[in-house]
Amino acid sequence: MDNISPTPMLRQYHELKQQHPGTLLFFRLGDFYEMFYQDAITGARELEITLTARNKEKGNAVPMCGVPHHAAAGYIARLVRKGYRVAICEQTEEAGKTKKLVRREVVRVITPGTAIDPQLLESREPVYLAAVCGSGSRYGAAFLEVSTGEFRVTQAEGNDAWARVVSDIESYAPKELLFPEAFAPLVQTAFAGPVRAALLPGAGDAQAEAEHLPSDDRFTLTPVDDWQWQLADCTSLLKEQLRVQTLAGYALEDKPEAVRAAGACLRYARDTQRAAAEHIADLTYFTAHDCLVLDAITLRNLELLESSAGDGRTRSLLGVLDSTATGMGARMLRTWLSRPAIRRGEIEARLASVAFLCAQVTRDRLHALLKEVADLERLIGRLHLGTASPRDVVALARSMKQAPLIRGLLADAEPSLLQILCENISELPELLGLIDRAIADSPPLNFGDGDVIRDGYNAELDDLRAVSRNAKQTIAGIEERERARTGITTMRVKYNNVFGYFIEVSKAAASRVPDDYERRQTLTNAERYTTPELKEWERKVLGADERIKELEIALFAEVRTAIVAETKSLQATAKAFAMLDALASLAETAVRRRYVQPVLHDGDEIEIKGGRHPLIESFIDVPFIPNDVYLNNSTDRLLIITGPNMGGKSSLLRQTAIIQILAQMGSFVPATAARLPLLDRIWTRVGASDDVSRGRSTFMVEMTEAAAILRNATPRSLILLDEVGRGTATFDGLSLAWAIAEFLHDSPGHAAKTLFATHYHELTELAERLPGAQNYQVTATERDGEVVFLHRLERGRASKSYGIEVARLAGLPPEVLTRAREVLRRLERYELDVFADEMPATVSESAEGGLGVAAKKAARRQLAAQVTLFEAVNQSLFDELRTVETDELSPDDALRLVREMKSRMI
């Protein structure tokens, strides 16, 4: 507050600000939204607009900045995308109708997780609001897409409950995460960053508000008062929203933490929207067993949704698959990809539909029809939340007019899924007839611009429009009649803001004014009058525009009510359109990229013939080299893959997992043939990255991910391990890699199918002692001193890694490469027998156990070589020096010997 008493307007601002802490308050003043105090400083900085001040002349300047109300949406979008919460304060009464301060109220709070306006949304991506709560060994999480009404909830129990819930949150990637205030330390630890004080209810000091930025790069963290998480209140709120007497039908009867999370999430959405949000009419309880689990690490490593190179979705698998015509179809496709199905019947139903839609004419015609369909899911949400425009209603009508055409196109479709989707599409002819009669073909965006309701729909509105549109003709008619009646040919009918409409007569003609003229104003050279007819007409004209606006709003509300009454049918239709769009997109990709239909079975074999990496083949200019892959849970459950750098080991691992994911989402796959089982989870440990914010090194991240795999993988999982153990000392890394591979092979509960790519050639010894381990190599050859990568997977072990050749391709200086080759030749020539009988204590028992005597010696020599290579070369020089008879050397011979040995030293 100011040291000097603030004005009534600023007092009103402070009251509203106190009611909405942790927000930037957009305070409506006339044609602008203004921000004051710290909000103004923050807003000016983030929006790059001018910061000014109010009351400068009074010595208590108040920082101030503003944006025009008609352009506010763009500015708000910029703030929300940066993680801010914006409270919209509107004038709720007209300034001219009161002598007191105009009443203002916050009509909406826009947050990153509750955005519904098109300017704030990416049409092809969901925007989830998440909530998490719990304690001890039981936690619940809820995920709400406010713009569409999608509402999902889960609960995890056990020692790893919190880790599982965190994994769900990272998988859904919400824009905003709600949690009880007491949860702040736990959330801070899990999501790496301090919870800003400005987000806490009641935080209103300037410094806290200045630090309002979100505490996690991925989503905004928002603490919520503890009272909003009470189980009884949350239960009542959910029952009211879902219009049920019990939550048992939603599998929530014994899920208290799930109920608390869902209730808090719903309350926050309703509070920010200032609406009942009746389009949120269903709630789905899910568990990890409901889909093929792909955690955030796997989504990132396989580049399923976004490219690791920073190209967004363009160079991701989703970008390759997505040729959808609608935003809701794109979101459906994204959901299928990030959470593939696990029920064989569901998957095969999608595959059969994709096969049917591969017929060119059907697919092209369906795509053309769907291009005329708007984003019905979000449009329905805006209608319920009171933010839909007249153009939204026209778009809804246009979309629904495609329903009979789409049903007719697919009337003879054989796949059962397509038949079910057609049955779920409603045509709603009565509703469409109402919209056609009531709403103009091309209405304006805002009601204030008029002409929203079609002419002929409402008699009163037509009369008012006639008055408003014919004002000039009416004025001319009154003027002409009065001139004829009075004989005063110089009189004029005029208008101004003070007196409204009046008849102006010159002083010379004032004596001829009729008795029914009423004087309004006397001027130097003229008199101004009004008449009963003019006053009546003035009343009609001046009130017509206001009444037109009121009447159009009321009539539009009636149409809106009629649409909302059909919410269930509209949502079912929208979902059917979305699924058809996603299926057609998969069919388009299959035809364009030569994918084949996979065969699913109930066994454990992964058998891929001619498999290709869908991302790599989409963005390279040369033909992709396909490969076969075979795994099972017995003879081929651990594939040790060696080969050169740049040979394609990592690509092979990824393409195997991607083919499995594509199949379980219901897509054709990039291969010549594929027989695939149903997996429960895909785990990946590939790439190298540290986690600075949590103080974890690259190797610590690697081992943490490996630990999660070893503890949680099942025989129905697929594991990709790429260069495990390379982030630490050679002995440590090899020992860990060896032990991890053995564990994955031997552990009854965790013996998953595993692809293990490595440069530790010692690991190929595992295939000689483990019945389920097999050696494979990605081949390369040398031609004229140049390495040629063949990119073919063959049985056997690789002999070398060609690291120096890869370094040459990367552009290392020639002198470095020359020296590296020289060192390598010397290392390869030198016999390390001196180390053959010394097994370092750091090598684990698992790394040595089970090997034959000869293999043990070989492993010891190789292990010793990797750690003591440089010492070994220098030791060879010492050995040679011991044999030299120094007494017989001439000075020149001694000098030459020293020079030679010096050149050979490393």
Side-chain angles (χ1 to χ4, degrees):
M1 296 285 285
D2 306 323
N3 294 327
I4 301 174
S5 179
T7 64
M9 186 274 292
L10 285 177
R11 282 200 298 271
Q12 185 184 55
Y13 170 86
H14 282 296
E15 291 173 359
L16 290 167
K17 181 67 178 174
Q18 289 172 2
Q19 296 170 17
H20 299 85
T23 67
L24 296 178
L25 182 61
F26 269 43
F27 191 78
R28 183 69 177 267
L29 285 178
D31 290 334
F32 280 79
Y33 287 111
E34 302 288 357
M35 288 175 277
F36 298 101
Y37 300 100
Q38 186 60 47
D39 279 9
I41 296 172
T42 302
R45 181 187 69 239
E46 298 294 340
L47 297 175
E48 299 179 349
I49 58 178
T50 301
L51 178 67
T52 182
R54 191 181 182 94
N55 299 336
K56 290 181 182 179
E57 67 286 352
K58 296 181 180 179
N60 61 329
V62 176
M64 172 182 174
C65 72
V67 298
H69 79 94
H70 60 81
Y75 291 104
I76 293 170
R78 289 169 61 184
L79 291 171
V80 172
R81 289 193 184 106
K82 291 184 177 185
Y84 290 95
R85 302 165 68 234
V86 179
I88 308 299
C89 175
E90 297 284 4
Q91 296 175 183
T92 54
E93 63 179 348
E94 293 186 24
K97 292 188 176 182
T98 179
K99 295 182 179 180
K100 299 179 181 179
L101 183 66
V102 174
R103 184 171 64 252
R104 293 179 176 85
E105 296 177 3
V106 170
V107 296
R108 281 179 65 202
V109 178
I110 303 174
T111 76
T114 60
I116 60 171
D117 299 315
Q119 300 94 328
L120 300 171
L121 301 172
E122 294 291 338
S123 65
R124 311 185 84 79
E125 296 181 10
V127 175
Y128 287 110
L129 171 70
V132 63
C133 64
S135 62
S137 60
R138 187 166 63 188
Y139 294 89
F143 304 91
L144 173 60
E145 225 283 13
V146 178
S147 69
T148 65
E150 179 190 354
F151 200 5
R152 299 173 63 83
V153 65
T154 189
Q155 181 171 299
E157 300 185 25
N159 295 332
D160 62 344
W162 175 244
R164 285 153 53 198
V165 164
V166 168
S167 179
D168 283 330
I169 293 170
E170 291 179 335
S171 177
Y172 273 84
K175 296 297 184 183
E176 186 172 7
L177 176 64
L178 313 177
F179 54 91
E181 290 181 5
F183 250 50
L186 191 60
V187 170
Q188 176 179 335
T189 301
F191 300 109
V195 177
R196 305 281 183 169
L199 291 175
L200 292 169
D205 62 273
Q207 182 61 32
E209 291 178 31
E211 296 182 353
H212 183 292
L213 291 175
S215 58
D216 189 279
D217 291 339
R218 295 161 293 175
F219 43 80
T220 297
L221 303 177
T222 305
V224 174
D225 290 331
D226 289 340
W227 69 265
Q228 298 193 39
W229 304 83
Q230 296 297 318
L231 179 59
D233 291 342
C234 291
T235 302
S236 297
L237 183 63
L238 291 174
K239 289 179 180 178
E240 173 194 335
Q241 183 75 24
L242 301 174
R243 298 181 180 179
V244 295
Q245 295 295 318
T246 175
L247 298 179
Y250 297 91
L252 294 176
E253 197 168 33
D254 56 347
K255 304 292 189 301
E257 300 306 330
V259 171
R260 293 175 62 216
C265 200
L266 177 61
R267 187 189 306 279
Y268 185 82
R270 288 171 56 162
D271 288 348
T272 55
Q273 300 303 314
R274 298 297 195 270
E278 293 180 353
H279 67 298
I280 304 172
D282 197 11
L283 179 60
T284 301
Y285 180 80
F286 72 93
T287 70
H289 304 295
D290 292 339
C291 65
L292 173 63
V293 179
L294 306 172
D295 58 25
I297 296 169
T298 300
L299 292 172
R300 181 178 66 248
N301 286 338
L302 299 182
E303 299 181 286
L304 298 185
L305 304 179
E306 292 185 355
S307 167
S308 60
D311 299 324
R313 68 194 301 277
T314 304
R315 287 179 174 261
S316 68
L317 180 61
L318 180 60
V320 171
L321 297 177
D322 189 0
S323 59
T324 54
T326 68
M328 54 189 179
R331 295 194 299 273
M332 180 67 72
L333 191 67
R334 183 189 183 97
T335 297
W336 288 354
L337 179 58
S338 58
R339 289 184 285 280
I342 204 166
R343 289 183 289 274
R344 182 174 170 182
E346 180 181 0
I347 299 168
E348 291 180 338
R350 292 180 191 172
L351 290 172
S353 299
V354 172
F356 177 84
L357 292 172
C358 283
Q360 186 73 31
V361 176
T362 301
R363 187 177 72 258
D364 288 350
R365 178 59 179 155
L366 178 60
H367 184 79
L369 292 173
L370 288 170
K371 287 183 69 174
E372 297 299 314
V373 175
D375 195 334
L376 288 176
E377 291 177 334
R378 286 180 168 168
L379 197 155
I380 295 165
R382 291 197 296 275
L383 282 163
H384 275 274
L385 296 171
T387 63
S389 71
R391 292 181 185 176
D392 284 333
V393 173
V394 172
L396 181 144
R398 184 182 66 250
S399 303
M400 293 304 297
K401 288 176 182 176
Q402 310 310 310
L405 302 177
I406 291 174
R407 292 185 66 174
L409 178 66
L410 300 175
D412 298 327
E414 295 181 3
S416 59
L417 177 58
L418 295 181
Q419 295 175 10
I420 293 170
L421 293 179
C422 285
E423 291 173 1
N424 288 338
I425 295 175
S426 300
E427 299 183 12
L428 304 177
E430 294 183 2
L431 179 62
L432 295 184
L434 172 63
I435 295 173
D436 284 344
R437 294 193 306 274
I439 308 298
D441 290 333
S442 300
L445 187 61
N446 301 308
F447 289 101
D449 298 330
D451 294 328
V452 170
I453 303 300
R454 189 186 297 275
D455 287 338
Y457 181 70
N458 181 274
E460 180 184 359
L461 183 60
D462 291 344
D463 291 341
L464 291 168
R465 283 174 172 167
V467 171
S468 179
R469 293 170 181 170
N470 299 325
K472 290 184 179 180
Q473 291 87 338
T474 303
I475 290 171
I478 292 175
E479 188 177 82
E480 184 177 352
R481 288 197 306 274
E482 291 304 308
R483 284 179 178 179
R485 182 164 77 94
T486 63
I488 305 173
T489 58
T490 58
M491 70 166 49
R492 296 285 186 272
V493 178
K494 296 183 177 181
Y495 172 84
N496 67 31
N497 291 329
V498 177
F499 293 100
Y501 287 92
F502 54 83
I503 298 172
E504 186 172 281
V505 179
S506 65
K507 289 281 190 180
S511 60
R512 289 183 283 166
V513 169
D515 293 338
D516 60 343
Y517 274 36
E518 178 183 335
R519 191 186 303 275
R520 299 288 300 272
Q521 186 182 18
T522 298
L523 304 178
T524 303
N525 297 317
E527 297 285 348
R528 290 176 174 175
Y529 303 89
T530 186
T531 67
E533 180 188 13
L534 188 58
K535 286 195 290 186
E536 177 62 22
W537 183 82
E538 178 184 37
R539 184 185 65 77
K540 289 183 178 181
V541 171
L542 294 182
D545 290 341
E546 181 179 346
R547 177 58 181 156
I548 286 172
K549 182 178 179 181
E550 292 176 352
L551 195 54
E552 284 204 323
I553 291 174
L555 294 172
F556 181 80
E558 292 177 2
V559 175
R560 172 185 166 277
T561 299
I563 297 173
V564 166
E566 299 290 349
T567 294
K568 187 174 181 180
S569 296
L570 289 169
Q571 287 181 327
T573 300
K575 185 175 182 180
F577 283 163
M579 292 184 69
L580 287 172
D581 198 7
L583 292 168
S585 180
L586 293 177
E588 176 68 24
T589 302
V591 172
R592 188 171 67 249
R593 302 191 181 278
R594 299 176 294 108
Y595 290 4
V596 300
Q597 183 171 349
V599 176
L600 298 175
H601 60 87
D602 296 326
D604 59 27
E605 295 177 302
I606 293 178
E607 186 177 6
I608 299 171
K609 299 290 187 182
R612 313 186 303 276
H613 193 300
L615 272 173
I616 296 177
E617 75 167 355
S618 298
F619 298 109
I620 60 173
D621 298 326
V622 296
F624 186 89
I625 305 300
N627 278 297
D628 299 346
V629 173
Y630 178 79
L631 295 104
N632 60 31
N633 278 24
S634 54
T635 59
D636 294 73
R637 65 171 173 267
L638 174 63
L639 305 191
I640 307 295
I641 304 173
T642 52
N645 291 297
M646 296 284 292
K649 297 189 301 297
S650 296
S651 298
L652 177 71
L653 265 62
R654 289 175 168 90
Q655 82 183 39
T656 303
I658 289 174
I659 287 172
Q660 181 72 44
I661 291 168
L662 287 173
Q664 288 196 222
M665 74 175 285
S667 170
F668 284 21
V669 301
T672 56
R675 290 182 63 253
L676 302 168
L678 295 175
L679 301 183
D680 62 358
R681 183 159 188 164
I682 292 178
W683 300 87
T684 61
R685 169 53 281 203
V686 299
S689 62
D690 53 21
D691 191 347
V692 177
S693 62
R694 302 187 199 182
R696 302 193 304 174
S697 67
T698 299
F699 186 67
M700 183 62 178
V701 172
E702 178 181 335
M703 289 298 103
T704 300
E705 294 177 2
I709 294 172
L710 298 185
R711 291 180 179 277
N712 297 289
T714 75
R716 293 182 59 209
S717 301
L718 173 65
I719 300 174
L720 312 181
L721 296 178
D722 190 10
E723 302 299 346
V724 169
R726 299 291 285 184
T728 187
T730 304
F731 280 6
D732 288 346
L734 175 56
S735 301
L736 286 166
W738 190 294
I740 288 170
E742 277 190 341
F743 181 88
L744 290 172
H745 179 281
D746 296 340
S747 175
H750 307 289
K753 289 177 279 290
T754 304
L755 295 174
F756 199 131
T758 183
H759 281 288
Y760 287 135
H761 292 250
E762 296 80 1
L763 293 182
T764 59
E765 298 282 346
L766 288 170
E768 297 180 11
R769 61 175 295 272
L770 300 180
Q774 301 291 338
N775 282 329
Y776 281 85
Q777 60 173 317
V778 176
T779 56
T781 188
E782 291 184 83
R783 296 175 186 169
D784 301 325
E786 298 281 334
V787 62
V788 178
F789 301 110
L790 301 180
H791 303 293
R792 294 193 181 279
L793 183 69
E794 298 178 357
R795 283 190 176 272
R797 65 184 77 183
S799 59
K800 57 193 303 186
S801 295
Y802 298 99
I804 294 176
E805 293 306 312
V806 174
R808 181 185 63 79
L809 295 174
L812 261 65
E815 55 268 31
V816 174
L817 299 172
T818 300
R819 178 59 175 158
R821 291 190 182 98
E822 180 182 348
V823 172
L824 179 62
R825 283 195 300 271
R826 292 175 179 176
L827 296 178
E828 290 176 340
R829 282 202 314 266
Y830 186 70
E831 292 294 335
L832 295 175
D833 290 334
V834 65
F835 303 104
D837 296 324
E838 299 178 10
M839 191 66 173
T842 52
V843 179
S844 70
E845 290 297 326
S846 62
E848 184 181 9
L851 294 174
V853 175
K856 284 183 180 181
K857 289 186 176 181
R860 288 169 181 166
R861 285 197 298 271
Q862 291 168 341
L863 289 171
Q866 292 185 41
V867 175
T868 59
L869 297 177
F870 292 92
E871 293 91 334
V873 172
N874 292 330
Q875 182 65 42
S876 71
L877 298 178
F878 291 129
D879 293 343
E880 290 182 26
L881 189 60
R882 290 190 184 99
T883 64
V884 174
E885 297 293 336
T886 57
D887 292 339
E888 299 178 4
L889 287 178
S890 67
D892 289 340
D893 290 336
L895 181 60
R896 280 195 299 273
L897 179 62
V898 170
R899 286 175 176 170
E900 179 187 353
M901 288 190 169
K902 182 178 180 181
S903 68
R904 290 167 57 189
M905 291 180 67
I906 298 176

